[in-house]
Amino acid sequence: MTRPLQAIIDTGALRHNLDVLRQQAAHSRILAVIKANAYGHGLAIAADALAQADGFAVASLEEALQLRQLGVECTILLLEGVFEASEILACSEHRLAMVIHRHEQIEWLRAARLKQPVEIFLKLNSGMNRLGFTPETYHQAMAEVRAIAAVSHITQTSHFASADEADGIEAQMAVIHAAFSAHAHPASLANSAAVFRYPESHRDWVRPGISLYGGSPFADTPAETLGLRPVMTLHSRIIAVQTLQPGQALGYGGDWVAQHPTRIGVVACGYADGYPRHAGSGTPILVNGQRTRTLGRVSMDMLFADLSCVQGAQCGSPVTLWGDGLPVEQVAQAAGTINYELLCARAQRVPERII
Ligand SMILES: *Cc1c(COP(=O)(O)O)cnc(C)c1O
């Protein structure tokens, strides 16, 4: 028997979530963010299921070229642009759009001898202080890219730091409005949180990521409330059952000690699969479809589930680590992290099963 751990990818849920986003941002085009192996779901699977998106956004030239090799014809945007001058030729050849966020990228563009012009997204740093031209240098950068013959099309872009939090986007929107209204070019601003919470940010292109995969961008709002369905279910089985007597300790470090006789299931899933090692005793988990809790420390290949209250649990019983029936947000919270990190961390050794 092969190791029972699988990432079940529900492509119907991907399509459903894209529809939900279309309804939310009915007047915008959708740039589906599929960087980081489509947030751990598999680039090819996601690109295929999201074929109705208007474009795709990725973090590297490698990902973009993979998409072209898969036959993707629509807009592909490099969210961080090119990392060196030589990548610009490939962008021209493969019709890849690039973010331009610092001055050296403009110089590379000006110096490049391109057969076909390229599309760019000029990025404003409106307060996140990660990428982009400051409001003081933005207009000069715009003038420079407009003067380059090899630039075919310009979109103005910026990114929100707190669209999912109480701070919101107001301060950044003021900076964006002041800078963008000086130029008659289309705009792209919204991540998932802004798509749901701030219609005024939708503009020409929205850039949802986590919500496509059925994750909530908000700490206080379950994905289900937003109408989203989980795409990845991390599924495994019980591979051994132990009965601990009072005083007996469990796993590495013996962190958890039985107070009463306790049946424990050993689950084939560990931190080398991407399950968070920081998820302590009490993290929710489903065994036989019933909600229970993990116990003790997560090992590299295995973890423990409390079977005391689970009916019919035995070797071979199905286990859901997260996904259908157990929102990944709940596991993330128990591990002190966010859904994004858990989905992206799915290890290569965990095979996908597409449904
Ligand atoms: C990752 C990313 C997104 C997607 O954000 P979500 O919160 O996953 O919707 C959008 N824009 C940029 C620039 C990004 O880096």
Side-chain angles (χ1 to χ4, degrees):
M1 189 181 135
T2 57
R3 197 160 175 258
L5 182 62
Q6 294 180 326
I8 300 169
I9 307 295
D10 181 349
T11 51
L14 263 173
R15 282 188 287 269
H16 165 86
N17 296 334
L18 180 61
D19 285 344
V20 169
L21 287 155
R22 278 235 183 271
Q23 284 160 27
Q24 289 291 323
H27 303 291
S28 307
R29 282 182 288 174
I30 295 184
L31 209 43
V33 180
I34 59 173
K35 62 192 178 189
N37 195 29
Y39 289 45
H41 293 68
L43 187 72
I45 299 167
D48 186 54
L50 298 172
Q52 296 304 311
D54 304 290
F56 293 106
V58 294
S60 70
L61 181 60
E62 288 77 9
E63 291 170 318
L65 294 179
Q66 248 178 295
L67 288 174
R68 284 284 182 251
Q69 263 155 28
L70 290 165
V72 170
E73 293 284 343
C74 60
T75 295
I76 299 176
L77 175 65
L78 299 177
L79 286 169
E80 284 135 63
V82 294
F83 300 101
E84 51 183 272
S86 63
E87 292 186 336
I88 290 182
L89 276 174
C91 290
S92 162
E93 189 179 332
H94 298 278
R95 293 177 298 105
L96 308 176
M98 66 184 95
V99 164
I100 296 278
H101 62 82
R102 67 185 174 103
H103 201 257
E104 203 176 11
Q105 292 175 323
I106 298 181
E107 286 166 7
W108 294 340
L109 202 51
R110 196 183 285 125
R113 311 213 159 273
L114 304 179
K115 287 200 204 91
Q116 304 167 68
V118 288
E119 176 172 357
I120 67 150
F121 282 55
L122 189 69
K123 187 153 193 172
L124 171 73
N125 171 10
S126 57
M128 183 163 176
N129 296 314
R130 191 173 65 177
L131 296 182
F133 295 92
T134 61
E136 294 73 36
T137 57
Y138 181 75
H139 302 290
Q140 173 66 25
M142 179 63 88
E144 290 185 31
V145 291
R146 284 175 61 104
I148 298 175
V151 172
S152 63
H153 197 271
I154 300 172
T155 300
Q156 311 191 79
T157 190
S158 195
H159 191 53
F160 297 124
S162 308
D164 56 326
E165 288 175 27
D167 287 354
I169 64 168
E170 201 180 330
Q172 282 189 264
M173 278 302 271
V175 175
I176 290 164
H177 183 74
F180 284 15
S181 55
H183 311 284
H185 292 289
S188 171
L189 302 172
N191 57 3
S192 294
V195 169
F196 284 100
R197 204 161 270 181
Y198 302 107
E200 70 272 25
S201 73
H202 289 176
R203 309 293 295 268
D204 302 274
W205 287 98
V206 294
R207 303 189 306 271
I210 192 74
S211 51
L212 286 170
Y213 309 101
S216 172
F218 307 112
D220 56 2
T221 310
E224 196 180 358
T225 308
L226 302 171
L228 301 170
R229 280 167 41 191
V231 175
M232 182 197 298
T233 295
L234 193 59
H235 178 273
S236 190
R237 293 189 185 276
I238 302 285
I239 60 166
V241 175
Q242 308 290 345
T243 303
L244 266 63
Q245 297 306 320
Q248 286 188 312
L250 187 65
Y252 285 121
D255 271 17
W256 187 86
V257 179
Q259 308 281 311
H260 319 279
T262 311
R263 280 186 91 221
I264 299 209
V266 180
V267 180
C269 181
Y271 62 78
D273 301 301
Y275 193 91
R277 193 177 159 279
H278 295 289
S281 287
T283 301
I285 187 168
L286 305 185
V287 179
N288 251 355
Q290 298 159 62
R291 194 180 167 102
T292 179
R293 56 179 184 151
T294 66
L295 293 175
R297 284 191 204 160
V298 174
S299 322
M300 187 180 290
D301 312 310
M302 288 168 277
L303 54 78
F304 301 108
D306 184 357
L307 302 183
S308 329
C309 305
V310 181
Q311 277 155 23
Q314 56 185 10
C315 261
S317 291
V319 175
T320 296
L321 286 310
W322 64 63
D324 194 16
L326 176 57
V328 64
E329 288 78 15
Q330 294 181 11
V331 179
Q333 195 181 11
T337 184
I338 52 174
N339 49 5
Y340 296 72
E341 189 179 14
L342 296 193
L343 296 174
C344 291
R346 196 258 304 181
Q348 273 209 308
R349 76 172 186 179
V350 181
E352 297 133 5
R353 181 155 65 88
I354 301 165
I355 59 169

